[in-house]
Structures are given as C-alpha cells and as structure tokens.
Amino acid sequence: MKQTKLLIVAVAILLLIIGLITITSYALLNKGTNQFYNEGFYVGVTYCGNSVQEAKELIDEVKDYTNLFIIQSGTLQNATEVNEIGDYAIASSLNFAVYNSKAVYYSADMGSGINEWANAAKERWGERFIGIYYEDEPGGEMLDIDVVFEEAVIQNGDTSFKTDIIKKTAEGEIIFNDNGTQIHYRPNGEITVLDDAKFITYYPNRTVTLLETETNNFYTIENGTEYLSQIRPYEQVLRQNPIQNYDDAARAFMNKNQERLEKINKTQLNEESILVFTSDYGLYWWNYQSGYDLVLTQLGCNNSITQEIGLLRGAANLQGKSWGTIITWKYNQAPYLADGNETFEQMKISYEAGAEYVIIFNYAPDMTGPYGTLQEEHFKALERFWNDVVQNPKVTHGGIKAEAALILPQNYGWGMRNPNDIIWGIWKTNSTSQEIWNQLENKINQYGLKLDIVFEDPNYPAMEKYDHIYYWNQE
C-alpha cells in the first residue's frame, strides 16, 4: 500500500516537472513574439514604397524575427491601402504604425483627418496599433534648414496670401517682417532693414549705409553723415529681433512643434493610447518638451552612437518619456546602409542601453522591389539580433544603465556633431562650446554608454537620478 502511494506521488511529481519544463520551453521559444512575450521592446523596419503588394512581401520577409512594421511613405495615402497593409501586418503577428506629415490625410475616405482614421485604427487593431510617426527631424530642421516660426495671411483685394513674419534661414539669418518693413539679422551681427523706399545696413562697428531704392542714391558716413544721423541706432533695431538669445530660440522651436502637434490633436490621440513620435539627430531635449511621446535617434550617419544615446536617453530619463533608435544611411549612395555586422552591433548596443524601439530605415531614391535598401545581410542581422539578443536570457534589455550625467547649460541647443557645430541653427560656436566638447570627450571616455547627457532645467532635476553628476564647466 505504501509502495503504491509512493508510486502515485512520484508520478505526480514527474508530471508536474514535465509540465513546468513544457511551459518554460514554450515561453522561451516564443519569447519576443507579441502573443506571448513583449516586455515593451519593439524591433522592426519601415516601408517607404508605394505598393501594397511590396509591403506585404516585406512583411513576409521579416515577420519571424521582428514585431513592428511602420509605413513611412509619402505616396501611400489611401486609407483602404493603408488598412490592407495594417491588416496583413497584424495577421502576421506584428505591431503597426504609420507615418504622417503636416497633418496630411491619407485620402478623402478618411473623413475629417488623421485623428478619425487613427481612432478607427485603434478600434480595428487594439494595442497592436502603436501610433503615428508624425513629421521627421524637427530638430535637424532647426539646425540645418529654413524654418518659418510665424506667418500671417495678407488680404490684397480679392486674393489672399501667406507671408512669413518670423523665419530662420539655413544660414542662420533671422528675418522679421514688421508691418511692411523687413529686417534681416545676420549671424555676423549685420542688420539690414528694407522697405519700399530705402535699404539700410547696420554694421556691428555701428557704421550705417543707406540706399534709396527709387533714386539709387547711396549714403555712407563720408557723404551722408547728416542724413544717416536721423536713422535709428543699431541697438534700437537690434532689440526688435524676436530671437535674441538661446531662451528665445528654445521657445520658438517648441512653439513650432506644439503648433504641429495641435494640428493632429495629440491630446485626443494620447487619450486613446496612441503614441505620437518622430526621429531626429539633434535637439532631443526640446522635442520631448514640445510634447513628443517618443523620439528615435538616428544611428548610422557616422555619428557617435555613445553620444547620441547619452543625449536621447538622458532627455527621456529626466522627462519620463520613451526612446529608441532608428538605423539610417551610412552612405549617400548605394548601398546606403552599413553592412550586416555593423547593423547588428548598432541594434545590440541600443537594446543593452535600454532602447524601447529599434528600427531600420528602409528608403533610397532609387528603390526597387519591396526591400529597398535592405539586403540579405540586413535580414540576417535582424534574425541574428532577434535570436541571439532579444530571445537570449543572458542578454539583459537595459542592462547598461546610466551611472553619471553630464549637465549642459540651460537651453544650449548645440548640434554637437563636431566641435564647430552651430547653436540652434543660428549662432556659431563659442568658448562655452569648446569647454562642453572637452568635458564631453572626457566623460564619454570615462563612462561610455553609462553616461547620460542632459540640460540644466529646474523642472527636471538630475541629482536624484544619477550616482555621479558633472557640470560642463566643472574642473
């Protein structure tokens, strides 16, 4: 009798062990897939073509080793086509997100706009619909190209047109339209005032020249002292500049972003758990302050991965936001992307540093077929990353944590791509830039990926977040 009981107990224990082994094995085999194991990490690719069939072919290629598919196409704007691709991605066990620019609606059948479509998408796909990739590179735009901060509609008889009120050019010039008078503030300190009658140039040494546009009379100190003495002084015109310092530039940049986000009613999208995100290569701190939920830093364009991750992760950590990386071009011509091994290392570093999203950008001007810039070596890199990193219990997501923070001056919007980069796309580097660059190199050499780079701001104190705090001007 005792032997029978012992046998029954032994069999029960054996069955329990077998059951536990089966469950554990099943979980491990499915680790990383949406159905069984997520942990808030997403890896995927973008599709930038214009074909539903090609998008599906790309999904078929990557569905076994990714969990996110993003339509990043300016030509796929038909709701029926977008929904068809989304349905296919969801049926393939992927999450889904779409790109939208300047609140362009995919098509008339989307009704009142992107919000109506996004809300319907959330009902259609639930949590598998991640959100809207809205606009691209707002920080890079501020650093490198023209930006209109404020504009007005001018009525001229029966016609109306828009005119720029405040604009920053790619060369860093601020153009301000003041009731018909246009004032140009140049980075070298020169100021030019234009109206219908005259063309006045102020120089930093306080000399002035004047050209009468109708008569072509040109006046200088030598031939027009009495006339020029009636002109407003340099300091008075300078005070009219709407962007006089770094605080003004930060405010103008954030206002611009916030106006964009208001166009798609971001608040309402967030209420439905729909993320609004972008990718960028600079000014991450202020992208988050503008309201973006998630920012992807662009890796691959020969920048410092350690520095970009430190800047983005630091901004996200202090402001309580999500962050990720998107692997972009290394070259401006084919093959565009880095090779498979380098791509794998970029993904692995991102994962270990705590990125919640790792995406490969898949676009080229000469795209052919569904795979664009992606080659066989990139698919192998993705599969290797999925199997050897994401599903590997020995590799910890976010295992490399920031131990130290380097704190930079408040609102110091420096591009930081090189020691001579521009500040807010307006000002040249200065002695502060050189001190920051030296301190940055020193701390990256000391801490590597364990360093976050943040900005002084009383609303986001860093003292409680890090074991070690360093300031840009600290000896």
Side-chain angles (χ1 to χ4, degrees):
M1 202 60 183
K2 289 182 179 180
Q3 289 179 339
T4 303
K5 289 182 178 179
L6 288 172
L7 181 61
I8 292 172
V9 171
V11 170
I13 293 173
L14 181 61
L15 289 173
L16 179 61
I17 292 172
I18 292 172
L20 288 172
I21 291 173
T22 301
I23 292 170
T24 303
S25 300
Y26 188 69
L28 287 174
L29 285 171
N30 290 285
K31 182 182 176 184
T33 63
N34 293 307
Q35 303 99 312
F36 308 108
Y37 191 92
N38 193 316
E39 253 189 27
F41 177 73
Y42 301 87
V43 55
V45 299
T46 69
Y47 174 69
C48 300
N50 57 10
S51 164
V52 172
Q53 182 56 39
E54 288 182 355
K56 290 180 178 180
E57 290 174 21
L58 181 57
I59 289 171
D60 287 339
E61 178 65 37
V62 301
K63 65 183 179 183
D64 293 331
Y65 42 82
T66 64
N67 62 4
L68 176 60
F69 190 79
I70 301 176
I71 294 182
Q72 192 184 5
S73 173
T75 53
L76 270 173
Q77 295 182 6
N78 179 279
T80 301
E81 293 178 337
V82 172
N83 289 342
E84 184 177 349
I85 296 171
D87 287 342
Y88 196 81
I90 301 304
S92 301
S93 299
L94 300 176
N95 295 286
F96 187 56
V98 298
Y99 177 80
N100 191 263
S101 176
K102 296 177 175 61
V104 172
Y105 310 143
Y106 284 111
S107 64
D109 60 330
M110 294 185 70
S112 60
I114 189 64
N115 286 71
E116 183 173 329
W117 177 85
N119 293 330
K122 199 67 177 180
E123 290 185 13
R124 187 183 190 112
W125 299 312
E127 294 182 358
R128 307 283 286 283
F129 176 58
I130 301 297
I132 306 295
Y133 181 158
Y134 184 56
E135 298 284 3
D136 199 25
E137 301 175 346
E141 178 183 89
M142 181 71 181
L143 291 170
D144 294 332
I145 66 174
D146 293 357
V147 179
V148 176
F149 297 112
E150 186 178 334
E151 58 186 4
V153 177
I154 305 298
Q155 192 70 35
N156 185 7
D158 295 332
T159 62
S160 62
F161 59 94
K162 287 185 177 180
T163 185
D164 300 338
I165 301 299
I166 304 173
K167 177 181 178 179
K168 178 202 77 73
T169 71
E171 292 74 30
E173 182 176 327
I174 301 299
I175 302 175
F176 175 48
N177 277 294
D178 180 28
N179 294 319
T181 299
Q182 191 176 88
I183 309 175
H184 293 243
Y185 297 92
R186 297 187 177 87
N188 63 2
E190 290 182 10
I191 305 173
T192 300
V193 179
L194 300 87
D195 59 27
D196 291 337
K198 55 188 177 296
F199 189 111
I200 307 170
T201 300
Y202 296 82
Y203 298 91
N205 64 3
R206 293 348 185 227
T207 60
V208 181
T209 62
L210 183 148
L211 172 68
E212 292 180 334
T213 54
E214 292 184 0
T215 63
N216 283 327
N217 290 330
F218 186 70
Y219 299 94
T220 66
I221 293 296
E222 289 73 22
N223 70 348
T225 302
E226 184 176 344
Y227 189 4
L228 294 176
S229 66
Q230 303 173 38
I231 303 299
R232 290 184 299 164
Y234 179 92
E235 287 75 14
Q236 184 177 343
V237 181
L238 184 62
R239 283 196 294 271
Q240 286 187 265
N241 187 349
I243 303 179
Q244 298 198 22
N245 52 48
Y246 303 149
D247 292 342
D248 290 340
R251 187 162 42 250
F253 174 74
M254 290 188 290
N255 287 343
K256 177 72 173 179
N257 271 351
Q258 288 163 0
E259 288 174 5
R260 287 169 167 166
L261 294 171
E262 286 171 3
K263 289 180 181 178
I264 60 170
N265 195 351
K266 177 183 176 292
T267 301
Q268 188 277 321
L269 293 175
N270 286 166
E271 288 172 355
E272 299 299 323
S273 300
I274 299 170
L275 286 176
V276 179
F277 62 99
T278 190
S279 83
D280 220 325
Y281 56 87
L283 307 182
Y284 312 126
W285 182 270
W286 299 275
N287 279 335
Y288 283 129
Q289 284 199 310
S290 301
Y292 276 104
D293 304 310
L294 159 70
V295 178
L296 307 172
T297 181
Q298 297 177 3
L299 305 183
C301 47
N302 301 307
N303 53 351
S304 165
I305 293 178
T306 302
Q307 178 177 306
E308 296 309 317
I309 285 179
L311 279 164
L312 180 60
R313 184 180 60 188
N317 279 348
L318 287 191
Q319 298 186 46
K321 299 294 183 78
S322 296
W323 72 278
T325 62
I326 182 167
I327 297 169
T328 57
W329 291 0
K330 182 176 182 177
Y331 313 102
N332 290 325
Q333 64 281 328
Y336 299 104
L337 296 174
D339 64 31
N341 288 331
E342 187 173 344
T343 299
F344 170 81
E345 289 300 326
Q346 291 169 339
M347 292 190 289
K348 183 173 182 289
I349 288 170
S350 301
Y351 183 86
E352 292 179 322
E356 298 164 62
Y357 296 78
V358 174
I359 309 299
I360 297 183
F361 176 63
N362 177 32
Y363 169 78
D366 52 354
M367 281 183 68
T368 56
Y371 303 152
T373 55
L374 293 169
Q375 305 298 317
E376 183 62 28
E377 60 181 324
H378 300 114
F379 295 127
K380 288 181 178 178
L382 272 166
E383 187 170 15
R384 178 185 170 199
F385 173 67
W386 183 262
N387 293 327
D388 295 354
V389 177
V390 179
Q391 298 194 64
N392 185 351
K394 295 181 180 179
V395 181
T396 302
H397 179 219
I400 302 176
K401 300 185 183 301
E403 298 176 356
L406 175 61
I407 302 180
L408 308 187
Q410 185 165 1
N411 286 332
Y412 195 77
W414 187 27
M416 296 178 67
R417 291 163 291 185
N418 59 70
N420 299 311
D421 208 348
I422 47 182
I423 304 165
W424 287 114
I426 300 171
W427 296 280
K428 293 182 178 180
T429 52
N430 49 35
S431 58
T432 298
S433 310
Q434 190 58 57
E435 285 191 66
I436 291 173
W437 189 261
N438 293 340
Q439 187 74 294
L440 180 64
E441 286 192 319
N442 177 274
K443 292 299 176 280
I444 285 179
N445 288 335
Q446 182 177 354
Y447 288 99
L449 285 167
K450 295 181 180 181
L451 177 73
D452 276 354
I453 306 161
V454 300
F455 292 83
E456 194 165 9
D457 189 324
N459 295 316
Y460 304 103
M463 299 299 293
E464 298 177 2
K465 289 273 189 177
Y466 302 95
D467 296 334
H468 307 283
I469 298 291
Y470 302 94
Y471 288 86
W472 65 275
N473 56 352
Q474 183 174 337
E475 294 293 337

